[in-house]
Amino acid sequence: MPAQQAHDLNCLTIAELEAHAEQRMDKQTRDYYNEGADSGSTLRENSQAYSKYRIRPRVLRDISLIDTSCPLFGGKSPIPLGVAPTAMQCLAHPDGEVATARACRKAGVVMGLSSFATSTLEDVAAASGQNPCALQLYLFEEREHSRKLIRRAKAAGYKAVFLTVDTPMLGRRNLEIRNQFKLPKPYKIANFTEDSSSAATKTVMDGAPSGTEHKEEKTSSSAPGYHDGKKRTPPSGPISFHSHAPNPTLCWERDIGWLRKECAPEMEVWVKGIATAEDAILAVHHHVDGIVVSNHGGRQLNGALATLDALPEVVDAVQGKIPVHVDGGIRHGTDVFKALALGADFVWIGRPILWGLSYKGQEGVELCLKLLRDEFTLCMGLAGTVRIPEISKDYLVKMDQAGFVSRL
């Protein structure tokens, strides 16, 4: 009988993991990671959407051998769950993305890396070994910056690029504004130091060096792009999130084909931020390799659909032609089951990983993945399923506001 990994008796749920992280993170970091756009209603609804569904378990089935594996990037994942790309993980723990990569490697779980990480994509690849990684990409207006990053990812063995498509402008995050959020020393946006001046290695989130550096190197400040009514001027200065990540010029016709050409043949191209059937159809038409149904963790358009609510129409539109993944609001293994039952092929976990990282570094991320894996495996068995393809809408009902149940 295989040895069972010991429980952390101080942390048996993702909710408890969040509470531990609440105590360990400083206010600026906690607010940055946990905030949604504007009132935060979409952020809350991402999680609340799962409570609208109940599971219909089947019994008297042989569940003695449960297989949680699923296809991913031409290979196989041990569970239908990956670590979503989240920025600046060194804020949560000094080891940052490298610790997350080591935990993912140990669990065999794919890791998504943010372009705006505090560790280089090469360091994360080295920590990952043969474990698969995907690079989240903001396609900059000046494509050469993106081209360099893509080439580095290909050389480092990344399996896919996830193009973020829901940030033509940045959502309004009030706590970030009030806190005047800055990336503290000694951390830096590691993947873009080669594209920047000496001051850029110290660049904070808004692109402006802080304190005396601002006085000494005023010319190094970043500036967002703008349109004067006649022509578009792209962002300037060292690459920073606020100046360079939002790209209002992105479009299907021009950019997807360019990106596919740049990534071929080593890396797949996925679009992250799809929330409608219309855009799902366009994604298929433009030959992307997959879709992530996402609303940026509720950090962009407040009032948008929760990702679980957007998922069914995207799945129906795609008709199985390409994989459909989903992120946002997953806090328990039963949530993973519900997402798969509604048609997702795979799910991505964001904030709980950051909570685990804050709690105990690599060990905390391992704990987060273990909790979700164990909960999901238990849910599969108790629902009467033993293979991922068996999970379908037949296993769910939906509750309306009056408490009435309807079959799907």
Side-chain angles (χ1 to χ4, degrees):
M1 181 178 178
Q4 295 294 315
Q5 186 176 343
H7 292 291
D8 181 334
L9 299 182
N10 292 315
C11 186
L12 296 173
T13 67
I14 298 299
E16 291 182 353
L17 193 63
E18 180 179 12
H20 284 299
E22 177 88 8
Q23 297 173 351
R24 284 164 171 77
M25 291 180 181
D26 61 73
K27 183 180 186 301
Q28 178 174 267
T29 298
R30 185 170 62 246
D31 288 349
Y32 175 72
Y33 282 153
N34 292 341
E35 184 183 23
D38 292 299
S39 70
S41 62
T42 295
L43 169 66
R44 292 188 296 274
E45 288 168 9
N46 273 351
S47 294
Q48 292 168 354
Y50 286 90
S51 66
K52 295 186 288 190
Y53 294 91
R54 301 290 186 272
I55 297 169
R56 300 180 64 246
R58 300 295 306 277
V59 297
L60 291 176
R61 294 178 167 184
D62 184 351
I63 60 156
S64 56
L65 183 61
I66 298 174
D67 179 6
T68 61
S69 66
C70 67
L72 180 70
F73 302 151
K76 183 178 282 192
S77 174
I79 52 175
L81 179 154
V83 170
T86 52
M88 299 180 291
Q89 294 184 14
C90 282
L91 291 172
H93 188 277
D95 294 338
E97 293 86 358
V98 171
T100 301
R102 290 171 179 156
C104 289
R105 179 180 183 177
K106 188 171 181 179
V109 169
V110 63
M111 177 178 173
L113 179 71
S114 169
S115 290
F116 285 86
T118 39
S119 305
T120 67
L121 64 87
E122 290 85 1
D123 286 346
V124 169
S128 299
Q130 297 303 307
N131 199 54
C133 293
L135 175 67
Q136 176 275 332
L137 183 73
Y138 293 100
L139 188 53
F140 299 138
E141 291 187 56
E142 293 184 310
R143 287 182 174 177
E144 188 56 31
H145 295 310
S146 297
R147 183 181 281 115
K148 289 179 182 178
L149 201 62
I150 291 166
R151 288 174 179 170
R152 288 169 56 194
K154 289 167 77 170
Y158 281 66
K159 299 296 185 182
V161 159
F162 280 16
L163 175 64
T164 293
V165 296
D166 57 5
T167 54
M169 303 169 72
L170 292 183
R172 184 179 178 87
R173 304 163 195 173
N174 291 319
L175 291 179
E176 190 175 315
I177 296 170
R178 181 171 290 119
N179 293 338
Q180 299 184 50
F181 176 78
K182 292 177 173 62
L183 183 60
K185 295 179 180 180
Y187 303 123
K188 58 189 177 183
I189 303 303
N191 283 316
F192 300 115
T193 55
E194 67 177 33
D195 288 309
S196 309
S197 69
S198 60
T201 62
K202 308 166 189 173
T203 295
V204 295
M205 275 286 287
D206 60 4
S210 56
T212 58
E213 293 164 6
H214 183 66
K215 298 175 183 176
E216 294 169 1
E217 308 213 37
K218 292 180 181 178
T219 59
S220 69
S221 295
S222 302
Y226 63 92
H227 204 295
D228 65 5
K230 295 181 179 180
K231 67 176 182 177
R232 172 78 182 171
T233 298
S236 60
I239 293 172
S240 76
F241 180 76
H242 286 104
S243 61
H244 288 71
N247 183 352
T249 73
L250 272 183
C251 67
W252 289 104
E253 293 75 17
R254 180 180 60 245
D255 296 312
I256 299 300
W258 179 89
L259 184 59
R260 290 179 60 242
K261 182 178 179 181
E262 291 294 321
C263 291
E266 294 91 342
M267 296 193 298
E268 296 182 4
V269 172
W270 290 56
V271 285
K272 177 179 177 291
I274 300 296
T276 64
E278 294 89 340
D279 282 333
I281 291 169
L282 283 169
V284 173
H285 175 73
H286 288 277
H287 307 292
V288 303
D289 294 294
I291 285 171
V292 182
V293 177
S294 176
N295 55 31
H296 217 95
R299 293 164 70 82
Q300 280 296 103
L301 177 60
N302 195 50
L305 275 176
T307 49
L308 191 71
D309 292 333
L311 176 64
E313 72 170 84
V314 173
V315 171
D316 290 344
V318 167
Q319 297 181 340
K321 295 175 183 176
I322 56 175
V324 176
H325 295 186
V326 67
D327 68 17
I330 294 167
R331 301 293 182 264
H332 196 275
T334 53
D335 296 340
V336 180
F337 186 93
K338 291 173 183 179
L340 298 187
L342 289 174
D345 296 294
F346 196 88
V347 306
W348 295 83
I349 310 300
R351 288 181 177 91
I353 296 297
L354 297 171
W355 301 335
L357 189 62
S358 177
Y359 177 43
K360 286 187 177 180
Q362 176 183 339
E363 185 182 345
V365 176
E366 292 173 10
L367 173 62
C368 177
L369 294 173
K370 178 186 183 301
L371 289 173
L372 292 168
R373 182 195 66 221
D374 290 352
E375 291 165 355
F376 174 66
T377 304
L378 180 63
C379 179
M380 278 188 67
L382 292 178
T385 59
V386 295
R387 296 173 57 249
I388 299 299
E390 296 175 2
I391 303 172
S392 71
K393 291 180 180 179
D394 292 340
Y395 288 88
L396 292 185
V397 292
K398 191 172 186 179
M399 306 283 292
D400 65 18
Q401 290 184 337
F404 292 104
V405 174
S406 59
R407 292 287 299 273
L408 302 180

